Amino acid sequence: MQSSNKQIFTSNIIGHVLRLMPNQDLYQEIKTYVKDNNIKAGFIMSCVGSLKELNIRLANSVDYLKISKHHEITSLVGCVSCNDRIHLHIYYSLMEG
């Protein structure tokens, strides 16, 4: 019989669940929640939902893209901190695909 090479790791990760209602600003609500809960080093692991308006800064740019159409969030990941450090990456789809 072979010995197992499995290692067990433990962590102090605390999970948070945030549910937003229609017409709430996704970025501002995340920022407020992180600050109110004093999250010093957090990450967003998953997100699903929809947006009526999308306003994102384009990569390596000072320009923003604003689209006022219904969007489905297909992925949202990022790092968050209560000292106003919010770094998010969003993937979305329009109704047209």
Side-chain angles (χ1 to χ4, degrees), residues 2-15:
Q2 292 182 344
S3 65
S4 174
N5 289 331
K6 293 182 183 177
Q7 295 181 356
I8 298 174
F9 296 95
T10 60
S11 156
N12 293 328
I13 291 176
I14 299 171

Side-chain angles (χ1 to χ4, degrees), residues 92-97:
Y92 65 92
S93 70
L94 298 172
M95 288 177 31
E96 299 85 18

Side-chain angles (χ1 to χ4, degrees), residues 18-27 29 48-53 70-73:
L18 177 61
R19 176 155 191 215
L20 303 181
M21 302 308 290
N23 300 317
Q24 287 184 286
D25 183 299
L26 177 65
Y27 182 84
E29 294 299 328
V48 295
S50 62
L51 299 169
K52 291 181 182 178
E53 183 175 275
H70 181 82
H71 300 78
E72 287 294 322
I73 299 171

Side-chain angles (χ1 to χ4, degrees), residues 23-74:
N23 300 317
Q24 287 184 286
D25 183 299
L26 177 65
Y27 182 84
Q28 287 303 320
E29 294 299 328
I30 290 171
K31 189 174 178 178
T32 299
Y33 185 87
V34 167
K35 187 168 234 152
D36 289 351
N37 288 278
N38 199 31
I39 298 173
K40 292 181 175 48
F43 62 94
I44 295 175
M45 189 163 59
S46 181
C47 175
V48 295
S50 62
L51 299 169
K52 291 181 182 178
E53 183 175 275
L54 184 65
N55 190 16
I56 57 175
R57 185 182 57 81
L58 303 174
N60 294 322
S61 176
V62 295
D63 296 326
Y64 282 79
L65 173 66
K66 183 175 183 176
I67 304 172
S68 297
K69 282 186 172 183
H70 181 82
H71 300 78
E72 287 294 322
I73 299 171
T74 58

